[in-house]
Amino acid sequence: MTGTSNPPRILVTRKMMPDVERRIAAAFRATLNPDDRPLSAAEILEKCGRHDGLLLTSFDKLGPDFIPALPPSIRIIATHSVGYDHLSIPQAKARGIAVTNTPGVLTDATADVALLLILGAARGASWGDRMVREDRWGETTLISPLGHDVSGRRLGILGMGRIGQAVARRARAFGMTLHYHSRRPVAAAEASQATYHQHFEDMLPNCDFLSINCASTPETRGIVNAATLALLPDGAIVVNTARGDIVDDGALIAALSSGKLAAAGLDVFRGEPRIDPRYRGLDNVFMLPHIGSATPGTRSAMGHKCIDNLEQFFRGETPTDLLTGD
Ligand code: DGY
């Protein structure tokens, strides 16, 4: 760190924004990944032997054995993501390893993509784009193809944290009526006049659109499945900017194929980037490659937040975004 003769050694698993890499190289003895080759868990473990901390991402494929296998030198993991389902917090605590994440700075960018998915899925952005590229404009008539209205429809938000609330604010501007399910109701000022449902199942019959904005946890994994999808009105639309494993792919694909659901908008997938290939054959799915936080300003802010947390930790302070506290 600046002013320290022996700055801590940090392994950075992926290429970061240039301003982030400049700062981390100035503040720490940093091992960067200039070629941006994705590293396997085994490679990260092999490389991190002589390091004090790790700056990694939710795109790194780590697996459940990762934290127990970390060398004793590693004292902190700063993840370049708000989601931390790729890391076991109890395992990190048991090893005395601090873990930090990047809440707040990607809220707006991710909520923007949720609206993009709502609009894109409803209005056929995927098939419309393909028609123009494939020179099939001539097939359009006054009655086909048609999308679905967004204004005036009902949106249910699963997970009313920062991102869910930002989705609600945006959806209000589109004239949508709002419902939400979270573990607890949020303060009225943060709810954008959305109706709270204590039980997810009770919210679903009120959702022309369902936006998934909750964290992936043991409680939420697979919560959007055949039984819960059946509770949506016929012709509903599901969008997901959270994590793929909240959805049962087989059930979602069946509902999209049968016409139970009109469409889906997906930025995240179970097992991504190796997605269930059946999605590619469905014209009513609008898909993006996990770009919720992918703007220069947001990715830069996420990187700087990681460095803030690392610096605080190595100064002996409690990092702002510590996940492994009491
Ligand atoms: C996050 O920060 O969790 C985004 O989904 C990117 O991984």
Side-chain angles (χ1 to χ4, degrees):
M1 286 163 72
T2 314
T4 312
S5 57
N6 248 348
R9 299 156 300 186
I10 306 295
L11 176 68
V12 184
T13 61
R14 296 301 302 260
K15 196 169 179 61
M16 305 267 146
M17 295 298 289
D19 56 324
V20 173
E21 292 207 334
R22 275 194 299 276
R23 182 174 160 205
I24 196 157
F28 297 99
R29 283 181 284 167
T31 306
L32 303 177
N33 183 352
D35 303 326
D36 206 18
R37 189 176 64 79
L39 302 173
S40 66
E43 286 173 306
I44 297 172
L45 287 169
E46 192 201 313
K47 281 178 187 290
C48 71
R50 292 183 324 281
H51 293 80
D52 306 298
L54 272 172
L55 199 174
L56 49 70
T57 80
S58 62
F59 301 140
D60 295 313
K61 303 288 173 224
L62 302 176
D65 301 330
F66 180 73
I67 289 184
L70 280 170
S73 63
I74 294 292
R75 296 167 56 204
I76 178 166
I77 300 172
T79 181
H80 187 279
S81 59
V82 65
Y84 50 89
D85 47 299
H86 52 299
L87 295 164
S88 161
I89 301 304
Q91 281 181 347
K93 277 187 170 180
R95 291 276 321 263
I97 297 171
V99 178
T100 64
N101 67 339
T102 64
V105 292
L106 64 159
T107 302
D108 286 328
T110 308
D112 288 347
V113 170
L115 266 290
L116 173 64
L117 293 178
I118 288 172
L119 294 166
R123 298 304 301 272
S126 175
W127 50 252
D129 180 83
R130 215 168 314 137
M131 285 183 80
V132 178
R133 288 177 199 280
E134 294 171 2
D135 198 15
R136 292 192 289 116
W137 195 316
E139 292 172 26
T140 63
T141 71
L142 289 180
I143 55 169
S144 166
L146 298 176
H148 305 275
D149 285 317
V150 171
S151 303
R153 310 286 299 285
R154 300 167 298 174
L155 170 66
I157 297 174
L158 171 58
M160 197 64 145
R162 288 183 186 83
I163 296 172
Q165 291 168 29
V167 170
R169 287 194 293 277
R170 284 157 174 74
R172 290 259 313 152
F174 280 89
M176 301 186 89
T177 306
L178 305 180
H179 297 260
Y180 75 99
H181 165 71
S182 278
R183 271 172 303 177
R184 282 175 292 281
V186 299
E190 291 158 355
S192 294
Q193 298 178 30
T195 304
Y196 177 63
H197 296 266
Q198 192 184 354
H199 301 290
F200 179 47
E201 286 79 0
D202 293 343
M203 176 176 79
L204 292 170
N206 302 288
C207 302
D208 301 313
F209 290 78
L210 173 67
S211 176
I212 302 170
N213 297 107
C214 57
S216 165
T217 65
E219 292 74 40
T220 62
R221 267 168 226 143
I223 194 173
V224 178
N225 53 38
T228 51
L229 287 170
L231 297 172
L232 289 167
D234 290 347
I237 292 177
V238 172
V239 306
N240 190 2
T241 46
R243 285 291 183 267
D245 60 5
I246 296 164
V247 172
D248 177 328
D249 285 325
L252 182 62
I253 289 165
L256 287 162
S257 308
S258 71
K260 164 70 187 171
L261 293 182
L266 305 174
D267 183 46
V268 290
F269 298 82
R270 186 185 293 261
E272 61 186 42
R274 288 193 181 75
I275 69 169
D276 189 316
R278 291 175 293 175
Y279 282 120
R280 298 198 178 96
L282 292 173
D283 227 20
N284 53 352
V285 190
F286 175 42
M287 295 186 280
L288 297 172
H290 200 152
I291 57 160
S293 65
T295 68
T298 301
R299 287 279 162 85
S300 177
M302 292 167 76
H304 284 292
K305 212 162 186 15
C306 292
I307 301 174
D308 291 344
N309 283 309
L310 289 168
E311 288 185 337
Q312 289 166 341
F313 177 81
F314 286 111
R315 278 200 302 262
E317 300 164 13
T318 302
T320 307
D321 307 303
L322 186 67
L323 295 165
T324 41
D326 298 330

